[in-house]
Each structure stands twice: as C-alpha cells, then as structure tokens.
Amino acid sequence: MGDVLVVPEAYGLGPIEVTAISGDEVEMVAPLTRSGFSVAGCSGGGGTSSNGGGGVTMKCGEGPAATINDAMSLKIAEIRKGAAVLRIGSAG
C-alpha cells in the first residue's frame, strides 16, 4: 500500500495513491487537476466519492476497465495477497 502512480496531466488527475487493498477491491485517492470528474464502468463494484479539497477516492474491483474523465483507462487486472496489478492508459 502507499504506492503512487503518476499519470499524464491530460487525464485530469494528479498522482494516484493506492490506500488499501481488501478482498476484491482496490481503494485509491488522487487530487483533481481540473474542474469536474467523471468515471464510467468501475467494474466489480466500488465507486467514487469526493475527497474534499479537490480530490477523489475510487474503489474498483477486478474486471473490465473503467474510463476516468473520458481520457484515462483504469483496469484492476489482478488482486492477490494484498497486492494488485493496475493497468493505466489512455481511453479509447
């Protein structure tokens, strides 16, 4: 836990920090770098919430990729023994 993933500014998020891995979900927090935030398809349950101060908390499970801000693809590829494999790329 505590791993930080720096993503391109065009995705609308600052560095994404993994804050918890529990069971079948990964929890992450990230500051927003522009106004507005959208997420579609955070599979395997989970969701997003405002983190105050211009940030967001995301919880996602394994499965198809979520689309963040219509710009970034986030896929939880695998969760095992307190570790997770995340795949991040451009959406589309």
Side-chain angles (χ1 to χ4, degrees):
M1 258 71 57
D3 285 347
V4 175
L5 310 161
V6 177
V7 298
E9 192 173 315
Y11 293 167
L13 296 176
I16 300 169
E17 179 181 357
V18 175
T19 56
I21 300 171
S22 59
D24 60 355
E25 282 189 335
V26 176
E27 182 173 321
M28 301 153 280
V29 297
L32 299 177
T33 59
R34 63 180 186 214
S35 62
F37 176 79
S38 67
V39 62
C42 193
S43 62
T48 62
S49 64
S50 171
N51 198 25
V56 66
T57 298
M58 300 175 279
K59 291 183 182 178
C60 295
E62 288 183 38
T67 300
I68 314 280
N69 293 333
D70 295 322
M72 182 180 106
S73 169
L74 170 67
K75 177 179 175 62
I76 309 301
E78 185 177 356
I79 300 172
R80 60 179 143 83
K81 295 183 182 180
V85 176
L86 282 63
R87 293 203 175 107
I88 295 174
S90 57

